[in-house]
Amino acid sequence: MMLDGVMLLWFVLTAISVLYVGIDIRSTPASPVLKWGFVLLTAYTGPVGAFLYVLGCREPLPGVHERYTMVRWRQVLGSTMHCVAGDGIGILVGAVIAALTELSGFGDVALEYVLGFGFGWSIFQSLFMRDMADGSYMRALVGTFFPELLSMNSLMAGMVPVMTVARAHVAGSRDPSHPAFWFVMSMALLVGFVTAYPMNWWLVTRRLKHGMMTVRPPAQTTGDAEVSTPGHGTAPMHGHRNRGADMPHSREAPVTGQTLAAMTALSFAVLALGLGLAMFFGRL
């Protein structure tokens, strides 16, 4: 069957891509959480993730990472990757649990949503990034709730139709012990990355989410070196860190509650559209 050959090729390319990114990114002056994020993204999306790493984060020449990643689309790439990497762990765990317990339909989607949002928000966004909220985990939880919610809704809006339609037509896609299960989830996460990117663009431009960040060893910096970050003027590195985009509580031009409410409603509308497509084409 041709699909079996496609899946075999995909998994081989994914293994090669993860190995490459995992080794090469060690010398990239990015923050540790973004390094792990790119490794996870590559595990989910194979050669596409490796391509995004090379094009969007890998330092092309020594000492230029700060300026290389300040381009807006690369900042948004870092934000979207961070979302997909963190949420993806919870989503995959939820998909496995749902399959093992024979949970399907909206129950499956709800479990994946709750676990994906919970892990992405409480761990990848708040715990790992609490230093950007002055070390306060609670402040990080409060500051990242709505950005994570909007991003998660957009991610699931793309994932749910792909998962539902594929599971209705691809043999073995509901069995975690079958390669088709992981292939379908990879394709769903890849599409979810695409649908989450526009929302992350808005979040980054409004300083509700961070973008790509540069972290260099102290030996590579001299005092408080200054680098430019998009939309933020000049940011002091204080030894070795370029924080990229600020955390929500420190943004200079806060988004009004009305605007945030409107964007939240829009994100749920996009999610509803994804669910509608899944019901129509995939019998959710």
Side-chain angles (χ1 to χ4, degrees):
M1 184 176 178
M2 186 174 69
L3 182 58
D4 292 335
V6 172
M7 287 192 294
L8 177 60
L9 177 61
W10 177 261
F11 291 132
V12 169
L13 291 176
T14 297
I16 295 172
S17 299
V18 171
L19 182 63
Y20 165 73
V21 173
I23 294 174
D24 188 84
I25 204 168
R26 295 173 63 187
S27 60
T28 298
S31 67
V33 68
L34 291 185
K35 288 185 177 184
W36 281 108
F38 267 111
V39 173
L40 287 171
L41 179 69
T42 306
Y44 303 156
T45 63
V48 177
F51 175 77
L52 292 175
Y53 160 67
V54 171
L55 194 64
C57 182
R58 188 178 190 273
E59 189 172 39
L61 295 170
V64 302
H65 191 262
E66 293 86 350
R67 296 190 179 278
Y68 182 70
T69 58
M70 71 182 292
V71 180
R72 179 62 54 81
W73 74 264
R74 289 191 176 98
Q75 289 286 312
V76 179
L77 169 63
S79 174
T80 311
M81 176 277 300
H82 193 205
C83 162
V84 176
D87 296 349
I89 295 176
I91 291 170
L92 289 174
V93 171
V96 171
I97 293 175
L100 295 178
T101 59
E102 299 184 352
L103 186 65
S104 61
F106 282 100
D108 181 1
V109 173
L111 179 61
E112 292 180 27
Y113 184 99
V114 170
L115 292 182
F117 177 79
F119 189 89
W121 174 47
S122 63
I123 305 298
F124 241 64
Q125 290 290 348
S126 299
L127 181 62
F128 291 167
M129 306 304 293
R130 66 187 184 278
D131 61 324
M132 298 184 69
D134 300 324
S136 171
Y137 180 60
M138 290 304 300
R139 181 180 293 180
L141 281 173
V142 173
T144 59
F145 177 80
F146 278 104
E148 176 64 20
L149 178 66
L150 271 60
S151 190
M152 178 66 178
N153 286 347
S154 302
L155 171 65
M156 288 297 287
M159 288 192 66
V160 173
V162 174
M163 290 187 300
T164 305
V165 172
R167 287 171 179 172
H169 297 90
V170 179
S173 58
R174 294 182 180 274
D175 181 5
S177 66
H178 197 285
F181 175 90
W182 300 102
F183 180 73
V184 167
M185 293 305 296
S186 291
M187 295 301 103
L189 281 162
L190 181 56
V191 174
F193 180 95
V194 174
T195 57
Y197 189 88
M199 181 61 77
N200 276 269
W201 186 288
W202 185 83
L203 291 167
V204 169
T205 56
R206 298 307 188 279
R207 303 186 183 184
L208 288 166
K209 287 191 72 176
H210 64 82
M212 208 77 74
M213 295 178 292
T214 299
V215 176
R216 296 188 183 278
Q220 296 183 18
T221 63
T222 56
D224 289 342
E226 292 187 344
V227 294
S228 297
T229 52
H232 300 273
T234 302
M237 290 178 61
H238 299 302
H240 66 281
R241 179 184 293 271
N242 165 25
R243 296 193 175 194
D246 297 334
M247 288 292 284
H249 72 275
S250 64
R251 63 186 184 270
E252 296 174 5
V255 174
T256 65
Q258 184 176 5
T259 300
L260 185 58
M263 293 303 294
T264 302
L266 176 62
S267 74
F268 276 106
V270 171
L271 176 59
L273 176 60
L275 293 172
L277 292 173
M279 293 174 63
F280 185 80
F281 293 104
R283 301 187 299 276
L284 178 64

